[in-house]
Amino acid sequence: MTGPVLLRGKLALITACVVAVAIAGISVVTWLATEHNLSSQLNKSLMASLPPRFDRPPGPGDRREFHITCDQGQGRPEDGLQQVLQGIQTLELDGSTCAPPGVDPVVTTADDFVSTTTYRDGVTKSGTEARVLLQPLDDGRVLILSRSLGEINDTLAALAGVLVAVSILGVLLVAGLGLWLTRRALAPMERLTETAEHIARTEDLTTPVTVDGQDEVGRLGRAFTSMTAALAESRRRQRDLVNDAAHELRTPLTSLRTNIDLLVLSERTGRELPQRAEVLDRLQAQSREFSDLVTELVVLARDDRELARDPVDVAEVIDRAVTRARTRAHDHVFDVDRSDWTVLGDAAALERSVLNLLDNAVKFGPAGSTITVRSRPGWLTVTDEGPGVPAEHREAAFERFWRAPAARGMPGSGLGLAIVADIVAVHGGSARFVPNGRGASVRLNLPCET
């Protein structure tokens, strides 16, 4: 069972086929041109053999006559034509022919009736193919001159053999050369294929792809390198997210299991648990934290391509986020001042990012404090009256699971600002802390749709 034909073999085969067709066409044209030239030369040779009075129209009183005396095969042609022709004869009025001795007369032509000088192919009495010139005479007879086509046929046969041999050798040479050239041209592609197979076998996305050049293969190599780098970065981020989530979940899970074990032990032993109400409250709070954490992890793990790309009214996004935040913080005042502008993106994701900023402001702002929201085309800010974030921690605050030392005892997962940064970055913007006299102020820069 034969294996699959490689690309280089296909290209070499296609090249050989194209060249074979081209050589065959050239050979046919060459053979036909040679055959035409040889026939034309033979025709000219026959015409030149005619007496001078036959190569022009007859003048006044000029008669074109020709006589061969046929006397028991002893006739002789006039003007010495016997010495330059292989065949000369006349077609008599009664249909018989007259030829001098030693001449192999033509016995078959396509048609013996002619009114002008005519060239035809014929066959002699001995079966030899001949080129025939038919020249009508004034007395109604026809002068027939002939020459054998043997030399021409031999020449054309030899030429055909040479052309066939050259065609076969040319095709073989082109096929071999094409295979060698395609092998060299596709060597980078073969290296790229081997690298891809190695990556698929080992799942090592850091394997370098050594394909250079500015041609299509070079572009493919660079695109493949970019793809594997993006996949490696995506895997790294996924691994970091899982590791960070596992680390952050370990402590609350331990606390949750401890509280559940206390309740189970109390039920089994029948002993009243003095802190039962307090344990239940902790379990309820921890379950809410786990629910929020799972939601935030789902948001972080979501593919950016799942986000919509629609015109979004930022003012409506802010209004919806503030409405939701008010239901969670009745003891805070929201001071909102925004203008109408739009951004191209996902309305739900943008609302999520604004709501996270408002939740942080509610969490860190004292009861009765004011949360200020300002928005103009291209930006929006959320400011609270809490303790603020030290300058040295402002960049780290947007990392996953990062929490300020003073806030580690407060509820939360440390993912709120990381989600904000990711959502804004997907929309082509940025998130950062801006100086504020009191509390923390976060500014979101977003490209305004014109």
Side-chain angles (χ1 to χ4, degrees), residues 24-35:
I26 294 173
S27 299
V28 170
V29 171
T30 301
W31 190 91
L32 292 176
T34 303
E35 190 270 342

Side-chain angles (χ1 to χ4, degrees), residues 321 324-325 328 350-360:
R324 293 175 61 182
R328 307 177 186 182
L350 291 172
E351 181 181 342
R352 174 76 182 184
S353 63
V354 176
L355 183 60
N356 281 2
L357 294 181
L358 294 174
D359 286 342
N360 272 1

Side-chain angles (χ1 to χ4, degrees), residues 364-446:
F364 294 102
S369 63
T370 300
I371 298 173
T372 304
V373 181
R374 297 289 182 267
S375 175
R376 295 294 181 270
W379 61 270
L380 68 89
T381 60
V382 176
T383 305
D384 61 45
E385 296 179 354
V389 178
E392 63 272 15
H393 293 158
R394 289 177 180 175
E395 291 187 6
F398 292 98
E399 297 178 359
R400 296 173 180 176
F401 300 105
W402 185 90
R403 304 183 70 181
R408 290 177 181 172
M410 302 179 65
S413 61
L415 293 175
L417 290 180
I419 292 175
V420 172
D422 283 355
I423 292 175
V424 173
V426 169
H427 286 79
S430 61
R432 61 186 178 88
F433 283 94
V434 293
N436 185 46
R438 179 184 177 186
S441 180
V442 180
R443 177 181 177 122
L444 305 183
N445 295 308
L446 292 167

Side-chain angles (χ1 to χ4, degrees), residues 1 5 16 27 38 57 71 91 110 131 134 138 144 202 204 223 232 237 301 304 312 318 400 440:
M1 183 176 180
V5 180
S27 299
L38 292 177
D71 184 9
L91 180 63
R131 186 65 172 172
L134 304 176
D138 292 340
I144 302 177
T202 63
D204 183 10
R237 294 180 60 185
D304 297 342
V312 178
I318 294 174
R400 296 173 180 176

Side-chain angles (χ1 to χ4, degrees), residues 66-78 81-82 85-107 123-126 137 141-146:
F66 189 85
H67 299 283
I68 299 177
T69 303
C70 301
D71 184 9
Q72 297 179 356
Q74 300 297 322
R76 297 184 58 189
E78 64 180 38
L81 293 179
Q82 175 72 33
L85 296 171
Q86 295 176 348
I88 181 172
Q89 63 193 84
T90 57
L91 180 63
E92 302 300 323
L93 295 176
D94 59 359
S96 62
T97 59
C98 180
V103 172
D104 187 11
V106 177
V107 295
V123 180
T124 66
K125 187 176 182 179
S126 64
L137 302 175
R141 297 179 301 151
V142 177
L143 175 63
I144 302 177
L145 304 180
S146 64

Side-chain angles (χ1 to χ4, degrees), residues 288-415:
R288 285 196 298 268
E289 289 184 15
F290 272 111
S291 177
D292 293 340
L293 179 59
V294 169
T295 302
E296 291 172 344
L297 287 174
V298 170
V299 172
L300 283 176
R302 185 171 55 180
D303 196 331
D304 297 342
R305 293 173 295 181
E306 298 177 6
L307 299 179
R309 292 293 178 183
D310 302 318
V312 178
D313 188 339
V314 178
E316 293 184 2
V317 168
I318 294 174
D319 291 343
R320 290 197 300 267
V322 170
T323 300
R324 293 175 61 182
R326 280 196 176 108
T327 61
R328 307 177 186 182
H330 301 285
D331 55 350
H332 285 75
V333 178
F334 291 86
D335 179 12
V336 181
D337 181 13
R338 82 289 186 282
S339 60
D340 293 329
W341 58 287
T342 60
V343 63
L344 189 65
D346 189 294
L350 291 172
E351 181 181 342
R352 174 76 182 184
S353 63
V354 176
L355 183 60
N356 281 2
L357 294 181
L358 294 174
D359 286 342
N360 272 1
V362 170
K363 183 191 303 183
F364 294 102
S369 63
T370 300
I371 298 173
T372 304
V373 181
R374 297 289 182 267
S375 175
R376 295 294 181 270
W379 61 270
L380 68 89
T381 60
V382 176
T383 305
D384 61 45
E385 296 179 354
V389 178
E392 63 272 15
H393 293 158
R394 289 177 180 175
E395 291 187 6
F398 292 98
E399 297 178 359
R400 296 173 180 176
F401 300 105
W402 185 90
R403 304 183 70 181
R408 290 177 181 172
M410 302 179 65
S413 61
L415 293 175

